[in-house]
Amino acid sequence: QAALNSGKLTAVQAAGNEAFIAAVQAGEADLHRPYVDNIFVLSASGTVMGRESDLIDVWFDSGAMPFAQWHYPFENEEIFKQSYPADFISEGVDQTRGWFFTLHAISVMVEESVAFKNVVSTGLVLDKNGNKMSKRLGNAIDPFDTLSKYGADPTRWYMITNAQPWDNLKFDLAGITEVRNKFFGTLTNTYNFFALYANLDGFAPEANGVTSPNLTELDRWILSKLSSLVAEVDEAFAAYEPTKAGRAVQDFVCDHLSNWYVRLSRRRFWNPEDTNQGISPDKAAAYQTLHTCLATVAQLMSPIAPFYGDWLYKNLTGAESVHLTNFTAVNDSWRNPDLEASMDMAQRICSLVHSLRKVHKLKVRQPLAQVLVPVLQESVREQIRRVEDLIKSEVNVKMVNYLDDASGVLSKKVKPNFKALGPKFGKDMKAVADLITGMSAADLASIESEGAANLKGFEIALADIEILTEDMPGYLTASEAGMTIALDNTLTPELVSEGMAREFVNRIQNLRKDSGFDVVDKISILVQSSSPEWDASITDFASYIQQEVQAVTLAILPTLSGASSELSIDDSTLHVQVAIFN
């Protein structure tokens, strides 16, 4: 109406304007010229404003943005100074001679300053084969279909963690599926595991975080890793390295939190002894530790996955939004480099044992007598001793023993690590490689014990060589990155019997799940006698079996009356009856 009264808009134009606004609201209008000239806006003072028809240059207008948005230098000097120059700018590499340049050019002329402190210049999105996407080639991907099918956060996480923003990205939908399953799926499963047992026990997190004096070595280790993660992610974001930040969060969740901490702590969460006694101090420490890790991960991931991070944080804390919280700070009191080094040793040893079990088809549920670790440095032995119980539990061995001198037990060969030698020794690489090939057992022992040795003026480090081992009778050996282990694969009747009991536990747990039993349900088990070996195994390990499957009673009968379930274990078939105990 003001435009009509001022004579700047005729009745015919006004009618057309209303129709145009309706079309805009319906999403049917084109906002380009000449249609945009039909739009008029009223200022706060009632002045009619229309599109400015006179332009010096479109890039000049864009470059004037830092000043024009505040109408500076004519007014708003204080607020302008607070926001200028900008912390960073992000646009495609094609903006280098356009917006990036004119922003700086105008800023230098007006303020003798840069317009922004940092720039994140993004690369191109190509197809999975590295070709430019185009409708003509039929290799273009509809972003709206992708977001609808996979979600915004998995798509964004894939794009940011797959390549640095300034590199070209080979976009593959299979990569989003992998991210959604591996990272988001693992994190969701970890949260669901926590929520299931925390809700059953009525756990309420402490307002001031982890303060329990009952933290285990595993708790202290994951909190130390968490604190290191916070420092790494904060540093990466501050340096405009979102790829490094995202990858660090992903590795922490998948490799450390889920695959190590939760898996090794699982028994603490479902410990049935706590059911009628409230939450034990040990279980409370596990709950608080896992809650802290999950809530912190939600904060760290939220700049890249804002929707999922918000959902996770709200569920864990009841807060209004993760985006209204302060970015988590590094807790130096949690930092424990020695414990992290010990746990790294444990993970490396366990990885080698698992690889041997897989290659030689030795089931993890089959206990083995011992694993030998040739270690000459006493400090390294102490690091491993600190986590011995975790190693024994994880790889299912009875003992971890150490060898003072592996040369008499393990047959070792050494060869040059050319990837390390080239950058280190340059033109002398061949001479150093010859020295390594001719290395004596004493030289090798010196490198293993001291970490390095001087051979004819060349400092040879453990990383410069590769140590190969050969199996000895009754043992399987493996080496990687300077770590060697020997796994005793001799099976005694006692070990075989215990392995049978562990297999029985696994099948009963599956039967519990298939029967729809609740995690807190107590059960009774009847087993039909099948063979002396199975009867002996179930009898000898009855207490262990009952504790693992929450069985109040376990009995072996000559025959079973009524319907029974069949358990197939290797070449045996056991008939059992499992029911909720009343």
Side-chain angles (χ1 to χ4, degrees):
Q1 186 62 48
L4 281 169
N5 294 340
S6 66
K8 293 185 177 181
L9 193 65
T10 67
V12 174
Q13 288 175 321
N17 198 43
E18 291 177 357
F20 179 75
I21 292 173
V24 170
Q25 293 173 338
E28 300 171 353
D30 187 339
L31 295 181
H32 294 89
R33 290 188 65 194
Y35 311 105
V36 72
D37 289 331
N38 289 325
I39 297 178
F40 292 85
V41 180
L42 285 181
S43 69
S45 62
T47 303
V48 177
M49 297 185 293
R51 186 187 69 81
E52 176 58 60
S53 59
D54 294 326
L55 297 175
I56 297 176
D57 175 78
V58 292
W59 286 121
F60 182 88
D61 266 32
S62 298
M65 178 275 295
F67 311 99
Q69 67 176 333
W70 302 118
H71 201 219
Y72 177 82
F74 306 104
E75 58 180 324
N76 297 322
E77 179 177 358
E78 183 177 349
I79 193 171
F80 168 78
K81 296 294 185 182
Q82 291 174 356
S83 60
Y84 176 88
D87 288 324
F88 81 100
I89 188 172
S90 178
E91 259 292 357
V93 67
D94 53 314
Q95 296 290 348
T96 302
R97 293 196 304 160
W99 198 25
F100 294 166
F101 170 76
T102 52
L103 279 165
H104 274 335
I106 295 174
S107 289
V108 169
M109 287 187 287
V110 176
E111 288 289 318
E112 296 186 357
S113 168
V114 295
F116 47 86
K117 302 173 186 176
N118 299 278
V119 58
V120 180
S121 183
T122 55
L124 302 175
V125 179
L126 310 174
D127 72 5
K128 63 181 179 181
N129 298 315
N131 301 315
K132 185 177 180 180
M133 291 187 186
S134 73
K135 292 181 180 179
R136 179 179 60 83
L137 296 176
N139 62 348
I141 295 177
D142 189 318
F144 297 103
D145 289 346
T146 301
L147 294 175
S148 176
K149 181 177 180 180
Y150 298 96
D153 281 357
T155 302
R156 182 169 29 242
W157 194 275
Y158 160 71
M159 295 182 71
I160 287 181
T161 59
N162 191 53
Q164 297 280 12
W166 45 87
D167 290 334
N168 292 338
L169 170 66
K170 295 180 180 180
F171 191 89
D172 188 355
L173 292 174
I176 306 180
T177 300
E178 182 179 0
V179 162
R180 187 179 62 182
N181 295 343
K182 183 179 179 181
F183 174 58
F184 286 94
T186 298
L187 184 53
T188 301
N189 289 339
T190 303
Y191 165 72
N192 287 340
F193 171 83
F194 167 81
L196 172 66
Y197 291 101
N199 288 332
L200 284 173
D201 285 328
F203 168 75
E206 298 177 20
N208 53 351
V210 179
T211 58
S212 172
N214 300 289
L215 297 177
T216 64
E217 288 283 79
L218 200 59
D219 296 333
R220 299 181 193 280
W221 166 76
I222 196 64
L223 291 173
S224 181
K225 293 292 289 186
L226 181 68
S227 189
S228 298
L229 174 70
V230 172
E232 182 179 358
V233 171
D234 193 22
E235 181 180 356
F237 279 141
Y240 300 94
E241 295 267 14
T243 303
K244 289 184 178 180
R247 288 175 179 175
V249 172
Q250 186 167 294
D251 290 344
F252 174 82
V253 169
C254 297
D255 297 338
H256 302 305
L257 185 63
S258 173
N259 191 44
W260 194 253
Y261 177 77
V262 171
R263 193 161 51 79
L264 296 186
S265 300
R266 189 176 295 271
R267 182 186 300 275
R268 299 166 66 195
F269 291 94
W270 60 257
N271 188 351
E273 296 176 1
D274 291 340
T275 303
N276 298 320
Q277 306 295 327
I279 302 177
S280 70
D282 178 64
K283 180 184 280 191
Y287 276 139
Q288 190 66 53
T289 299
L290 183 52
H291 180 274
T292 299
C293 289
L294 289 171
T296 303
V297 165
Q299 288 182 306
L300 297 179
M301 72 185 296
S302 59
I304 304 175
F307 303 112
Y308 186 95
D310 207 34
W311 169 84
L312 181 59
Y313 195 79
K314 286 179 180 178
N315 285 357
L316 288 164
T317 66
E320 183 178 354
S321 173
V322 69
H323 305 296
L324 298 178
T325 64
N326 291 326
F327 197 79
T328 186
V330 176
N331 190 329
D332 289 326
S333 66
W334 290 348
R335 302 294 287 271
N336 194 329
D338 290 339
L339 180 55
E340 289 192 37
S342 292
M343 203 63 72
D344 178 66
M345 288 281 188
Q347 289 176 309
R348 292 170 61 193
I349 291 171
C350 291
S351 176
L352 289 171
V353 173
H354 282 314
S355 66
L356 286 174
R357 280 185 175 271
K358 183 176 181 179
V359 169
H360 295 278
K361 295 181 172 58
L362 291 170
K363 295 180 179 179
V364 177
R365 284 188 285 273
Q366 173 59 61
L368 297 175
Q370 64 175 334
V371 57
L372 301 178
V373 185
V375 177
L376 303 183
Q377 295 170 285
E378 184 58 31
S379 60
V380 176
R381 287 194 183 192
E382 287 303 315
Q383 286 181 324
I384 300 174
R385 287 193 184 102
R386 187 172 183 176
V387 290
E388 266 187 17
D389 289 341
L390 286 174
I391 295 173
K392 290 188 289 187
S393 173
E394 168 64 8
V395 300
N396 197 10
V397 297
K398 299 298 181 182
M399 296 291 294
V400 177
N401 289 316
Y402 306 91
L403 297 177
D404 289 321
D405 183 6
S407 60
V409 180
L410 301 179
S411 176
K412 290 188 177 183
K413 295 181 180 179
V414 63
K415 69 175 189 177
N417 180 4
F418 288 103
K419 289 184 178 180
L421 295 181
K424 184 175 180 179
F425 294 103
K427 62 183 178 61
D428 295 321
M429 182 183 71
K430 187 178 184 305
V432 173
D434 291 339
L435 288 174
I436 292 174
T437 303
M439 187 182 297
S440 67
D443 292 333
L444 178 56
S446 176
I447 292 179
E448 288 187 294
S449 61
E450 303 299 329
N454 191 292
L455 301 181
K456 296 186 177 181
F458 294 103
E459 190 74 12
I460 311 298
L462 195 59
D464 299 328
I465 64 176
E466 293 183 26
I467 302 174
L468 307 177
T469 60
E470 295 180 356
D471 293 345
M472 57 184 180
Y475 288 86
L476 304 172
T477 60
S479 298
E480 186 179 44
M483 172 68 70
T484 300
I485 61 102
L487 182 64
D488 187 345
N489 64 342
T490 302
L491 295 177
T492 64
E494 293 77 15
L495 291 173
V496 171
S497 183
E498 184 178 346
M500 294 168 65
R502 287 175 175 262
E503 293 288 351
F504 182 77
V505 166
N506 172 258
R507 303 308 192 277
I508 294 295
Q509 295 285 40
N510 291 339
L511 188 57
R512 280 185 62 113
K513 183 177 180 181
D514 294 340
S515 301
F517 294 169
D518 195 271
V519 292
V520 296
D521 287 338
K522 306 296 183 181
I523 62 173
S524 60
I525 306 174
L526 295 178
V527 185
Q528 182 172 299
S529 177
S530 60
S531 69
E533 293 79 13
W534 272 110
D535 290 355
S537 174
I538 293 172
T539 301
D540 293 343
F541 294 95
S543 296
Y544 161 76
I545 294 171
Q546 288 179 248
Q547 181 182 13
E548 292 293 308
V549 303
Q550 299 192 62
V552 179
T553 62
L554 170 61
I556 301 175
L557 302 177
T559 60
L560 298 179
S561 60
S564 63
S565 300
E566 289 188 358
L567 304 182
S568 296
I569 306 176
D570 296 329
D571 297 329
S572 302
T573 300
L574 301 182
H575 293 269
V576 301
Q577 291 177 344
V578 176
I580 295 178
F581 180 80
N582 294 317

